[in-house]
Amino acid sequence: GSVSGPIKKDRASMTFDFNRRSITENAFVLATDLDPNLNPQTVNLAVLQPQSLITLTPRLDLAINGSNTLVARFQETYNEFDNQGAGGFNLASTAYNQKTSAQLLQLTETALLSPVMVNETGFQWSRNASANVVSSFTPQIVVQDAFTSGGARAGNSSNVTNRLELSNMTILNHKNHTIKVGARLRQSFNDDTSVNNFNGTYT
């Protein structure tokens, strides 16, 4: 979906985009494990693996005055993948859900300093996050060419990254030449938690 239009004539306008996608796939478990009496039994199972995506993108264009304009844009994206890791010899208990999200904010101010000189100032903030959510914390048991049971090795791991950027550029047009002078500052923060195989594995 998309909608756009003026907010104030010749001064401000906006656009808004929306996107949603939903897909359901199947993972097939074809394994041989043991029943409560320790007798081999065949496992033939289909595990649903839903996937979803949502994206929101609003944007605002504003003419501050005759020489200055401002563009503000924001984007949010959210992904979710359920029951990853199951299938083949991997039983349903080894599945985990994976979630990712991203936010992006951009602000751009453009100033017409003279008929031949333009100054542009930009600010950007972005955040990217991912997380694994397991359904079981029990140790993983791997019987090669037969089955894998227990909890997912991924564990409840996560990663979050925040980035900040500030830039300024002046563009000067002089006859047949264009001169650009500017600077950019960047800062990044990362928070990472990895508990891969904290539940243990027995092969």
Side-chain angles (χ1 to χ4, degrees):
S2 178
V3 61
S4 62
I7 298 176
K8 188 173 183 180
K9 186 178 180 181
D10 299 327
R11 288 293 303 273
S13 63
M14 59 80 64
T15 61
F16 180 78
D17 294 319
F18 169 79
N19 181 44
R20 182 180 184 275
R21 184 177 67 213
S22 179
I23 301 172
T24 300
E25 296 184 346
N26 294 282
F28 298 98
V29 178
L30 301 172
T32 302
D33 68 354
L34 301 176
D35 64 15
N37 296 319
L38 302 183
N39 297 313
Q41 65 178 0
T42 300
V43 179
N44 190 340
L45 179 67
V47 179
L48 294 179
Q49 292 184 318
Q51 303 176 16
S52 62
L53 166 70
I54 296 176
T55 303
L56 304 172
T57 311
R59 170 174 168 155
L60 173 67
D61 291 79
L62 175 65
I64 302 173
N65 52 46
S67 301
N68 299 83
T69 60
L70 175 68
V71 176
R73 180 179 178 270
F74 181 76
Q75 183 175 50
E76 172 140 13
T77 303
Y78 181 78
N79 275 288
E80 186 167 350
F81 304 88
D82 292 342
N83 294 329
Q84 299 298 296
F89 295 129
N90 296 335
L91 303 183
S93 64
T94 64
Y96 62 94
N97 297 338
Q98 186 177 70
K99 301 178 180 181
T100 63
S101 63
Q103 292 83 34
L104 175 66
L105 173 65
Q106 295 175 320
L107 300 173
T108 304
E109 191 270 342
T110 303
L112 183 62
L113 303 181
S114 74
V116 296
M117 183 179 294
V118 176
N119 180 265
E120 183 176 279
T121 302
F123 171 79
Q124 177 174 286
W125 167 77
S126 64
R127 180 181 185 274
N128 293 276
S130 62
N132 297 323
V133 181
V134 302
S135 58
S136 174
F137 295 97
T138 59
Q140 192 165 94
I141 299 175
V142 180
V143 180
Q144 295 179 352
D145 297 328
F147 71 91
T148 298
S149 65
R153 294 184 186 181
N156 286 342
S157 300
S158 63
N159 183 280
V160 178
T161 301
N162 285 278
R163 293 185 175 92
L164 299 171
E165 180 177 306
L166 180 65
S167 63
N168 183 271
M169 178 178 292
T170 299
I171 304 172
L172 173 64
N173 293 304
H174 179 67
K175 297 182 179 180
N176 296 328
H177 302 277
T178 299
I179 300 174
K180 297 181 181 179
V181 178
R184 178 170 56 190
L185 298 175
R186 286 177 171 176
Q187 181 66 59
S188 179
F189 305 91
N190 182 257
D191 184 3
D192 184 79
T193 302
S194 178
V195 292
N196 186 54
N197 204 31
F198 269 40
N199 55 333
T201 302
Y202 180 77
T203 301

